[in-house]
């Protein structure tokens, strides 16, 4: 077989069946109830017990008057209860709205308003942060996990553990995933049962994980990647070794403790792990494959050589599925080729395909029914703008080599990726503009030693103001999540502008020698003052 045919076979995928996640779970609860789905510390969660808990929670929510299509926000920590909640909503067609547990202030308020949330399941530890949000918009159902009145425990105690009476179809919308807000406010990506299963199927293809194998599960479940791993473990009959959070210093030890053969990385995970002191755990972990997206090309071989793993890189995005392309050949730095469900092209600003080697916008067209871009929640204009002649415009830059392999070349959108999280410039800038001494603000990304980007903010102060960076950051700390806090602050008298008076961000300096640095300042923004 020729190299081209081998590569074609490597990315060929079966169609995404009409069998829903609900139907798969119902069947596995009967056929394989004793298999271990997840471990969490000393807790062992077998599939039959998981499914029964999922059914109890789903039936309890229906008993409270919620119906398929209602939007339910989840703001929960990394815990098996979060897994149960995700699957319970999916089983009955309730639309999951994930909420990042780090959000505060306007960033926390936004998803409730923009995505018309009907109900909320939240950990009681977030009650203080949620109080202003809930004061403004009464919900049809509010369920706290923990605290004085543990409503979630009541859901788990519901007497009916049978499969619920209602269920979604394969193309029903069962989640709204907040986009990174790359051209303004974050948009809600509509996700169907089919698209939420397709991403995990791509994970199984990329990892070649076999039934019974264990994955180290460290991902946040408000992130699409985390949910995809949960579903992949169902579809592939895998076991999850769950830890509470990612730890760079204990990454390989944790993998060894849970018996993982494969580990997932995002963005800065590999640079952070590579920066750890060398030790015996580097090679004694038993992991064979590290899979994910965003491995810096210059670190590809160093990671493989130091840790004895094979890098499996791919590319995906919220608007489509977890992986649209996969690299099965090991070509350094490449995101591979599209799965057979998609066609990919590198295009210029007018939508014309570019020749090999040229950098342009990466675009996708779905070849499999139901796997195209399904749109943004109640935002027809943004939905139409994302498409051109049947192609979804990612806003990301790429090039393609003579072999047809794709290489990520940067982001054309107004966002940055910091420590695995997409950060909208708009979200940060709108908080800064509420400061009485800030006239204008512009955010850009600057290179980070961890392989992604850090936030640099440019501030034009109000006339007569002598606002200083430390005071500004102290003011910001209670109003935005930690991961949105700028590291670098620079003050300007004027901004370069387009003829329509938009700030030309491409002309703002990326150097960090002429600005204030939070990390070297010794400032703790959470301390009172400012």
């Amino acid at each position: 077989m020729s190299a081209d045919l081998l590569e074609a076979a490597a990315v060929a995928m079966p169609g995404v069946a009409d069998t829903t996640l609900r139907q798969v779970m119902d069947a596995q609860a009967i056929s394989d109830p004793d298999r271990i789905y997840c471990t969490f510390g000393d807790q062992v969660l077998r599939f039959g017990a998981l499914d029964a808990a999922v059914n109890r929670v789903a039936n309890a929510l229906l008993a409270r008057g919620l119906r398929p299509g209602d939007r339910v926000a989840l703001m929960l920590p990394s815990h098996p209860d979060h897994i149960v909640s995700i699957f319970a909503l999916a089983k009955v067609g309730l639309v999951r709205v994930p909420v990042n547990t780090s959000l505060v202030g306007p960033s926390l308020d936004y998803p409730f308003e923009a995505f018309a949330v009907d109900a909320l399941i939240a950990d009681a530890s977030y009650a203080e942060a949620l109080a202003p949000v809930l004061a403004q918009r009464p919900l049809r159902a509010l369920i706290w996990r923990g605290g004085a009145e543990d409503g979630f425990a009541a859901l788990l105690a519901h007497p009916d553990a049978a499969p619920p009476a209602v269920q979604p179809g394969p193309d029903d919308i069962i989640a709204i995933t907040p986009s990174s807000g790359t051209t303004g406010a974050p948009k809600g990506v509509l996700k169907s049962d089919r698209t939420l299963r397709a991403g995990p199927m791509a994970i199984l293809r990329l990892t070649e994980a076999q039934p019974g194998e264990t994955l180290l599960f460290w991902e946040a479940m408000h992130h699409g990647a985390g949910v995809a791993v949960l579903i992949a473990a169902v579809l592939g009959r895998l076991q999850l070794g769950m830890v509470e959070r990612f730890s760079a210093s204990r990454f390989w030890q944790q993998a060894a403790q849970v018996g993982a053969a494969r580990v997932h990385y995002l963005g800065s995970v590999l640079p952070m792990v590579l920066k750890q002191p060398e030790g015996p755990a580097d090679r004694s972990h038993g992991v064979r494959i590290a899979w994910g997206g965003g491995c810096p090309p210059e670190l590809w071989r160093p990671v493989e050589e130091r840790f004895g793993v094979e890098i499996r890189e791919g590319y995906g995005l919220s608007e489509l599925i977890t992986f649209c392309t996969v690299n099965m050949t090991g070509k350094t730095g490449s995101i591979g080729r599209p799965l057979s469900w998609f066609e990919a092209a590198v295009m210029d600003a007018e939508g014309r395909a570019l020749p090999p080697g040229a950098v342009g916008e990466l675009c996708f067209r779905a070849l499999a029914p139901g796997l195209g871009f399904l749109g943004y929640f109640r935002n027809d204009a943004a939905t139409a703008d994302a498409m051109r002649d049947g192609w979804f415009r990612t806003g990301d830059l790429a090039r393609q080599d003579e072999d047809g392999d794709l290489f990520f070349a940067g982001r054309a959108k107004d966002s940055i990726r910091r420590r695995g999280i997409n950060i909208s410039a708009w979200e940060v800038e709108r908080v800064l503009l509420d400061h009485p001494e800030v006239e204008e603000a512009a955010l850009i990304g600057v290179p980070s030693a961890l392989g992604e980007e850090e936030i640099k903010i440019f501030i034009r102060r109000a006339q007569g103001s002598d606002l200083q960076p430390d005071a500004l950051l102290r003011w910001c700390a209670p109003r935005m999540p930690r991961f949105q806090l700028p590291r670098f602050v620079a003050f300007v008298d004027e901004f370069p502008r387009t003829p329509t008076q938009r700030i030309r961000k491409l002309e703002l300096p990326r150097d960090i020698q002429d600005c204030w640095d939070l990390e070297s300042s010794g400032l703790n923004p959470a301390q009172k003052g400012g």
Side-chain angles (χ1 to χ4, degrees):
M1 184 181 289
S2 71
D4 286 346
L5 290 177
L6 281 170
E7 176 64 11
V11 297
M13 296 282 291
V16 181
D18 287 343
T19 305
T20 62
L21 176 62
R22 151 74 182 269
Q23 292 167 332
V24 172
M25 292 189 69
D26 287 352
Q28 287 189 18
I30 296 171
S31 66
D32 202 8
D34 293 328
R35 82 171 177 88
I36 297 175
Y37 172 78
C38 175
T39 61
F40 182 62
D42 295 331
Q43 185 176 349
V44 176
L45 187 60
R46 298 184 184 274
F47 197 84
L50 167 67
D51 190 70
V54 166
N55 289 344
R56 291 181 192 278
V57 170
N59 285 320
L61 293 173
L62 294 176
R64 293 192 176 207
L66 294 175
R67 293 293 178 263
D70 289 343
R71 291 165 295 281
V72 181
L74 297 183
M75 191 173 181
L76 296 167
S78 292
H79 186 277
D81 287 349
H82 199 163
I83 299 175
V84 170
S85 300
I86 289 169
F87 285 141
L89 300 185
K91 270 208 172 189
V92 293
L94 289 167
V95 180
R96 174 176 49 86
V97 179
V99 179
N100 187 327
T101 57
S102 298
L103 297 181
V104 294
S107 295
L108 179 56
D109 182 71
Y110 183 80
F112 288 84
E113 177 184 3
F115 309 139
V117 168
D118 297 301
L120 168 67
I121 302 174
D123 195 83
S125 62
Y126 309 129
E128 183 178 352
L130 283 163
V133 177
L134 299 176
Q136 294 182 54
R137 50 181 56 79
L139 301 175
R140 288 170 49 198
L142 172 60
I143 298 152
W144 294 108
R145 173 186 176 270
E149 297 182 10
D150 193 340
F152 192 79
L155 299 184
L156 289 170
H158 191 274
D160 189 358
V166 298
Q167 59 181 303
D171 295 304
D172 287 350
I173 301 302
I174 62 169
I176 297 174
T177 302
S179 72
S180 57
T182 51
T183 54
K187 300 177 284 291
V189 181
L190 301 176
K191 307 293 288 188
S192 69
D193 181 276
R194 191 186 305 275
T195 57
L196 286 174
R197 284 181 289 115
M201 289 176 65
I203 288 174
L204 296 174
R205 180 70 196 97
L206 181 64
T207 62
E208 297 183 304
Q210 300 301 306
E213 291 188 342
T214 298
L215 301 179
L216 175 64
F217 183 61
W218 57 266
E219 297 85 347
M221 284 177 271
H222 61 255
H223 195 286
V227 175
V229 175
L230 294 180
I231 298 173
V234 174
L235 302 182
R237 296 177 182 266
L238 308 175
Q239 180 174 320
L240 299 178
M242 183 179 178
V243 295
E244 191 171 353
R245 63 179 62 86
F246 167 75
S247 169
S249 62
R250 300 190 62 243
F251 191 66
W252 300 113
Q253 293 95 322
Q254 289 175 332
Q257 287 169 0
V258 302
R262 289 158 176 78
V263 294
H264 180 214
Y265 62 85
L266 288 169
S268 60
V269 165
L270 294 181
M272 290 174 69
V273 169
L274 201 59
K275 282 181 173 289
Q276 301 305 306
E278 294 187 19
D282 289 355
R283 284 271 184 163
S284 62
H285 43 70
V287 175
R288 299 190 299 278
I289 291 173
W291 58 279
C295 176
E298 67 276 11
L299 300 185
W300 192 295
R301 295 306 178 205
V303 167
E304 290 189 327
E305 291 168 5
R306 175 174 167 183
F307 301 115
V309 297
E310 177 186 344
I311 295 292
R312 293 279 182 89
E313 179 89 351
Y315 171 92
L317 67 167
S318 299
E319 283 81 354
L320 295 174
I321 66 172
T322 311
F323 288 106
C324 301
T325 73
V326 294
N327 178 349
M328 304 298 292
T329 65
K331 182 179 287 187
T332 302
S334 174
I335 59 174
R337 298 186 183 186
L339 298 166
S340 56
W341 298 332
F342 297 97
E343 182 179 2
V346 177
M347 296 183 170
D348 65 13
E350 282 71 45
R352 296 172 297 210
L354 292 169
V359 173
E361 184 177 22
L362 180 59
C363 301
F364 288 94
R365 179 163 58 189
L367 301 177
L371 293 190
F373 172 50
L374 302 181
Y376 295 117
F377 177 72
R378 296 182 182 176
N379 197 335
D380 293 341
T383 298
D385 188 58
M387 300 295 296
R388 180 172 52 202
D389 299 328
W391 291 84
F392 177 78
R393 306 169 59 187
T394 68
D396 287 337
L397 303 176
R399 62 178 175 84
Q400 194 168 34
D401 67 13
E402 295 286 352
D403 297 327
D405 292 302
L406 292 160
F407 294 78
F408 181 77
R411 301 184 185 277
K413 298 177 178 179
D414 194 13
S415 72
I416 74 165
R417 191 167 180 84
R418 184 191 202 188
R419 295 166 193 167
I421 300 174
N422 287 328
I423 298 173
S424 160
W426 177 87
E427 282 195 282
V428 178
E429 289 165 357
R430 70 171 182 154
V431 174
L432 288 162
L433 290 172
D434 283 338
H435 193 290
E437 295 183 62
V438 173
E439 191 73 19
E440 288 186 295
L443 179 152
I444 65 169
V446 295
S448 165
L450 295 177
E452 291 187 332
E453 295 174 293
E454 290 285 358
I455 295 176
K456 181 177 180 180
I457 196 77
F458 292 81
I459 300 292
R460 186 165 73 86
R461 290 176 283 210
Q463 186 173 1
S465 167
D466 189 35
L467 179 66
Q468 295 302 306
D470 56 346
L472 177 63
L473 268 290
R474 287 197 189 100
W475 183 90
C476 288
R479 293 172 172 83
M480 62 176 64
R482 172 69 186 180
F483 63 78
Q484 288 184 355
L485 279 177
R487 175 176 172 181
F488 301 105
V489 180
F491 292 101
V492 297
D493 294 325
E494 293 292 341
F495 283 106
R497 300 182 182 277
T498 68
T500 56
Q501 294 305 298
R502 291 188 178 185
I503 296 172
R504 292 186 183 271
K505 290 191 175 182
L506 290 177
E507 297 179 18
L508 296 175
R510 261 66 181 168
D511 64 87
I512 57 174
Q513 308 306 316
D514 64 338
C515 56
W516 183 83
D517 182 358
L518 173 61
E519 291 196 3
S520 63
S521 71
L523 172 72
N524 175 10
Q527 70 190 62
K528 293 183 179 180

